Short mmCIF file of all heavy atoms in Angstrom, two decimals:
data_model
loop_
_atom_site.label_atom_id
_atom_site.label_comp_id
_atom_site.label_asym_id
_atom_site.label_seq_id
_atom_site.Cartn_x
_atom_site.Cartn_y
_atom_site.Cartn_z
N THR A 10 -42.64 37.60 -16.44
CA THR A 10 -42.63 38.13 -17.81
C THR A 10 -41.59 39.24 -17.90
O THR A 10 -40.86 39.50 -16.95
CB THR A 10 -44.01 38.68 -18.18
OG1 THR A 10 -44.25 39.90 -17.45
CG2 THR A 10 -45.11 37.67 -17.85
N ASP A 11 -41.52 39.91 -19.03
CA ASP A 11 -40.57 41.02 -19.20
C ASP A 11 -41.15 42.35 -18.74
O ASP A 11 -40.52 43.40 -18.95
CB ASP A 11 -40.17 41.13 -20.68
CG ASP A 11 -39.34 39.93 -21.13
OD1 ASP A 11 -38.64 39.34 -20.28
OD2 ASP A 11 -39.40 39.59 -22.32
N ALA A 12 -42.31 42.34 -18.11
CA ALA A 12 -42.95 43.60 -17.71
C ALA A 12 -42.20 44.25 -16.55
O ALA A 12 -41.92 43.61 -15.54
CB ALA A 12 -44.40 43.34 -17.30
N SER A 13 -41.86 45.51 -16.73
CA SER A 13 -41.23 46.28 -15.65
C SER A 13 -42.26 47.04 -14.82
O SER A 13 -41.98 47.46 -13.71
CB SER A 13 -40.21 47.26 -16.23
OG SER A 13 -40.84 48.15 -17.13
N THR A 14 -43.44 47.23 -15.39
CA THR A 14 -44.55 47.90 -14.71
C THR A 14 -45.82 47.10 -14.95
O THR A 14 -46.07 46.63 -16.07
CB THR A 14 -44.75 49.33 -15.26
OG1 THR A 14 -43.56 50.08 -15.07
CG2 THR A 14 -45.92 50.04 -14.55
N ILE A 15 -46.62 46.94 -13.91
CA ILE A 15 -47.91 46.28 -14.02
C ILE A 15 -49.00 47.31 -13.76
O ILE A 15 -49.02 47.96 -12.71
CB ILE A 15 -48.05 45.11 -13.03
CG1 ILE A 15 -47.04 44.01 -13.36
CG2 ILE A 15 -49.47 44.55 -13.06
CD1 ILE A 15 -47.03 42.87 -12.36
N VAL A 16 -49.89 47.46 -14.72
CA VAL A 16 -51.02 48.38 -14.57
C VAL A 16 -52.16 47.62 -13.90
O VAL A 16 -52.60 46.56 -14.39
CB VAL A 16 -51.47 48.92 -15.94
CG1 VAL A 16 -52.73 49.79 -15.77
CG2 VAL A 16 -50.36 49.72 -16.58
N LEU A 17 -52.65 48.15 -12.79
CA LEU A 17 -53.79 47.55 -12.09
C LEU A 17 -55.06 48.07 -12.77
O LEU A 17 -55.67 49.05 -12.35
CB LEU A 17 -53.76 47.92 -10.61
CG LEU A 17 -52.52 47.43 -9.84
CD1 LEU A 17 -52.57 47.89 -8.39
CD2 LEU A 17 -52.39 45.90 -9.92
N ALA A 18 -55.44 47.40 -13.86
CA ALA A 18 -56.49 47.88 -14.75
C ALA A 18 -57.87 47.39 -14.33
O ALA A 18 -58.70 47.00 -15.15
CB ALA A 18 -56.19 47.47 -16.19
N CYS A 19 -58.11 47.40 -13.02
CA CYS A 19 -59.43 47.18 -12.45
C CYS A 19 -59.45 47.95 -11.15
O CYS A 19 -58.50 47.86 -10.35
CB CYS A 19 -59.71 45.70 -12.21
SG CYS A 19 -61.27 45.41 -11.31
N THR A 20 -60.51 48.71 -10.89
CA THR A 20 -60.49 49.59 -9.73
C THR A 20 -60.61 48.86 -8.41
O THR A 20 -60.40 49.45 -7.35
CB THR A 20 -61.60 50.66 -9.84
OG1 THR A 20 -62.85 50.03 -10.18
CG2 THR A 20 -61.25 51.68 -10.90
N GLU A 21 -60.94 47.57 -8.43
CA GLU A 21 -60.90 46.78 -7.19
C GLU A 21 -59.49 46.35 -6.82
O GLU A 21 -59.19 46.11 -5.64
CB GLU A 21 -61.79 45.53 -7.31
CG GLU A 21 -63.25 45.73 -6.99
CD GLU A 21 -64.00 46.50 -8.07
OE1 GLU A 21 -63.71 46.30 -9.26
OE2 GLU A 21 -64.88 47.30 -7.72
N LEU A 22 -58.60 46.23 -7.79
CA LEU A 22 -57.27 45.68 -7.52
C LEU A 22 -56.42 46.54 -6.60
O LEU A 22 -55.67 46.00 -5.77
CB LEU A 22 -56.55 45.39 -8.84
CG LEU A 22 -57.16 44.27 -9.68
CD1 LEU A 22 -56.34 44.05 -10.95
CD2 LEU A 22 -57.27 42.97 -8.88
N PRO A 23 -56.46 47.89 -6.66
CA PRO A 23 -55.69 48.66 -5.69
C PRO A 23 -56.11 48.40 -4.24
O PRO A 23 -55.29 48.47 -3.33
CB PRO A 23 -55.96 50.11 -6.09
CG PRO A 23 -56.25 50.04 -7.55
CD PRO A 23 -57.01 48.76 -7.73
N LEU A 24 -57.38 48.06 -4.03
CA LEU A 24 -57.83 47.73 -2.68
C LEU A 24 -57.22 46.41 -2.22
O LEU A 24 -56.88 46.23 -1.05
CB LEU A 24 -59.36 47.66 -2.65
CG LEU A 24 -60.07 49.00 -2.87
CD1 LEU A 24 -61.54 48.79 -3.18
CD2 LEU A 24 -59.91 49.90 -1.68
N ALA A 25 -57.07 45.48 -3.16
CA ALA A 25 -56.41 44.21 -2.84
C ALA A 25 -54.92 44.40 -2.66
O ALA A 25 -54.28 43.72 -1.84
CB ALA A 25 -56.69 43.19 -3.95
N ALA A 26 -54.34 45.34 -3.41
CA ALA A 26 -52.88 45.53 -3.41
C ALA A 26 -52.35 45.99 -2.06
O ALA A 26 -51.17 45.82 -1.78
CB ALA A 26 -52.48 46.52 -4.50
N ARG A 27 -53.21 46.54 -1.22
CA ARG A 27 -52.77 46.93 0.12
C ARG A 27 -52.33 45.73 0.95
O ARG A 27 -51.65 45.89 1.96
CB ARG A 27 -53.91 47.64 0.84
CG ARG A 27 -54.32 48.96 0.24
CD ARG A 27 -55.52 49.51 0.97
NE ARG A 27 -55.92 50.80 0.42
CZ ARG A 27 -57.03 51.43 0.77
NH1 ARG A 27 -57.84 50.89 1.68
NH2 ARG A 27 -57.33 52.60 0.23
N HIS A 28 -52.76 44.56 0.54
CA HIS A 28 -52.50 43.35 1.33
C HIS A 28 -51.51 42.42 0.64
O HIS A 28 -51.44 41.24 0.98
CB HIS A 28 -53.81 42.63 1.60
CG HIS A 28 -54.80 43.49 2.34
ND1 HIS A 28 -54.73 43.72 3.69
CD2 HIS A 28 -55.86 44.21 1.88
CE1 HIS A 28 -55.71 44.52 4.07
NE2 HIS A 28 -56.41 44.84 2.98
N LEU A 29 -50.76 42.94 -0.32
CA LEU A 29 -49.73 42.13 -0.95
C LEU A 29 -48.59 41.85 0.02
O LEU A 29 -48.26 42.69 0.87
CB LEU A 29 -49.18 42.84 -2.19
CG LEU A 29 -50.10 42.97 -3.40
CD1 LEU A 29 -49.40 43.75 -4.50
CD2 LEU A 29 -50.53 41.61 -3.91
N THR A 30 -47.97 40.70 -0.16
CA THR A 30 -46.81 40.35 0.66
C THR A 30 -45.54 40.28 -0.16
O THR A 30 -44.44 40.27 0.40
CB THR A 30 -47.02 39.00 1.36
OG1 THR A 30 -47.22 37.98 0.36
CG2 THR A 30 -48.24 39.05 2.27
N ALA A 31 -45.66 40.22 -1.49
CA ALA A 31 -44.48 40.10 -2.34
C ALA A 31 -43.64 41.36 -2.26
O ALA A 31 -44.15 42.48 -2.35
CB ALA A 31 -44.89 39.84 -3.80
N ALA A 32 -42.34 41.18 -2.10
CA ALA A 32 -41.40 42.31 -2.08
C ALA A 32 -40.64 42.34 -3.40
O ALA A 32 -40.37 41.30 -3.99
CB ALA A 32 -40.43 42.18 -0.92
N GLY A 33 -40.29 43.55 -3.83
CA GLY A 33 -39.57 43.67 -5.10
C GLY A 33 -40.50 43.39 -6.27
O GLY A 33 -41.72 43.43 -6.16
N GLY A 34 -39.90 43.09 -7.41
CA GLY A 34 -40.69 42.79 -8.59
C GLY A 34 -41.11 44.03 -9.34
O GLY A 34 -40.65 45.15 -9.05
N PRO A 35 -42.02 43.89 -10.31
CA PRO A 35 -42.43 45.03 -11.13
C PRO A 35 -43.12 46.11 -10.31
O PRO A 35 -43.74 45.84 -9.27
CB PRO A 35 -43.40 44.39 -12.14
CG PRO A 35 -43.12 42.93 -12.10
CD PRO A 35 -42.66 42.63 -10.71
N GLU A 36 -43.02 47.33 -10.78
CA GLU A 36 -43.76 48.43 -10.18
C GLU A 36 -45.24 48.26 -10.48
O GLU A 36 -45.63 47.84 -11.57
CB GLU A 36 -43.27 49.75 -10.77
CG GLU A 36 -44.01 50.96 -10.25
CD GLU A 36 -43.60 52.24 -10.96
OE1 GLU A 36 -43.22 52.17 -12.14
OE2 GLU A 36 -43.66 53.30 -10.32
N LEU A 37 -46.09 48.58 -9.51
CA LEU A 37 -47.53 48.54 -9.71
C LEU A 37 -48.04 49.96 -9.92
O LEU A 37 -47.75 50.85 -9.12
CB LEU A 37 -48.23 47.92 -8.49
CG LEU A 37 -47.77 46.52 -8.08
CD1 LEU A 37 -48.62 46.02 -6.91
CD2 LEU A 37 -47.84 45.55 -9.25
N LEU A 38 -48.77 50.16 -10.99
CA LEU A 38 -49.30 51.49 -11.32
C LEU A 38 -50.81 51.48 -11.17
O LEU A 38 -51.50 50.64 -11.77
CB LEU A 38 -48.91 51.86 -12.75
CG LEU A 38 -49.37 53.24 -13.23
CD1 LEU A 38 -48.74 54.35 -12.38
CD2 LEU A 38 -49.02 53.45 -14.70
N ASP A 39 -51.33 52.40 -10.36
CA ASP A 39 -52.76 52.50 -10.11
C ASP A 39 -53.35 53.65 -10.94
O ASP A 39 -53.13 54.82 -10.63
CB ASP A 39 -52.98 52.76 -8.61
CG ASP A 39 -54.45 52.90 -8.26
OD1 ASP A 39 -55.30 52.84 -9.16
OD2 ASP A 39 -54.74 53.09 -7.06
N PRO A 40 -54.11 53.35 -11.98
CA PRO A 40 -54.68 54.41 -12.81
C PRO A 40 -55.64 55.34 -12.08
O PRO A 40 -55.84 56.48 -12.52
CB PRO A 40 -55.40 53.64 -13.92
CG PRO A 40 -54.65 52.35 -14.02
CD PRO A 40 -54.31 52.02 -12.60
N THR A 41 -56.24 54.89 -10.97
CA THR A 41 -57.13 55.80 -10.27
C THR A 41 -56.37 56.95 -9.61
O THR A 41 -56.93 58.04 -9.44
CB THR A 41 -57.99 55.06 -9.22
OG1 THR A 41 -57.15 54.41 -8.28
CG2 THR A 41 -58.89 54.05 -9.89
N ASP A 42 -55.11 56.72 -9.24
CA ASP A 42 -54.28 57.84 -8.79
C ASP A 42 -54.15 58.88 -9.89
O ASP A 42 -54.24 60.09 -9.66
CB ASP A 42 -52.87 57.36 -8.40
CG ASP A 42 -52.83 56.60 -7.09
OD1 ASP A 42 -53.77 56.70 -6.30
OD2 ASP A 42 -51.83 55.89 -6.88
N LEU A 43 -53.90 58.40 -11.09
CA LEU A 43 -53.70 59.30 -12.23
C LEU A 43 -54.99 60.03 -12.59
O LEU A 43 -54.96 61.21 -12.96
CB LEU A 43 -53.20 58.51 -13.44
CG LEU A 43 -51.95 57.65 -13.21
CD1 LEU A 43 -51.61 56.85 -14.46
CD2 LEU A 43 -50.78 58.51 -12.76
N LEU A 44 -56.12 59.34 -12.46
CA LEU A 44 -57.40 59.98 -12.75
C LEU A 44 -57.70 61.07 -11.72
O LEU A 44 -58.17 62.16 -12.08
CB LEU A 44 -58.51 58.93 -12.76
CG LEU A 44 -59.89 59.41 -13.18
CD1 LEU A 44 -59.87 59.95 -14.61
CD2 LEU A 44 -60.92 58.29 -13.04
#
């Protein structure tokens, strides 16, 4: 898509994101960091 940033809008997803293998692509933003 045209998204430059992806918001991980579920608090389980950052735990899954530790195991991503994709390199590059959109930035992932974790709202729990911000909270």
Side-chain angles (χ1 to χ4, degrees):
T10 72
D11 292 332
S13 59
T14 301
I15 295 175
V16 176
L17 299 178
C19 173
T20 48
E21 275 73 37
L22 293 181
L24 293 165
R27 294 175 179 172
H28 301 282
L29 290 178
T30 60
E36 178 185 30
L37 304 183
L38 181 62
D39 179 358
T41 59
D42 287 342
L43 307 177
L44 186 61

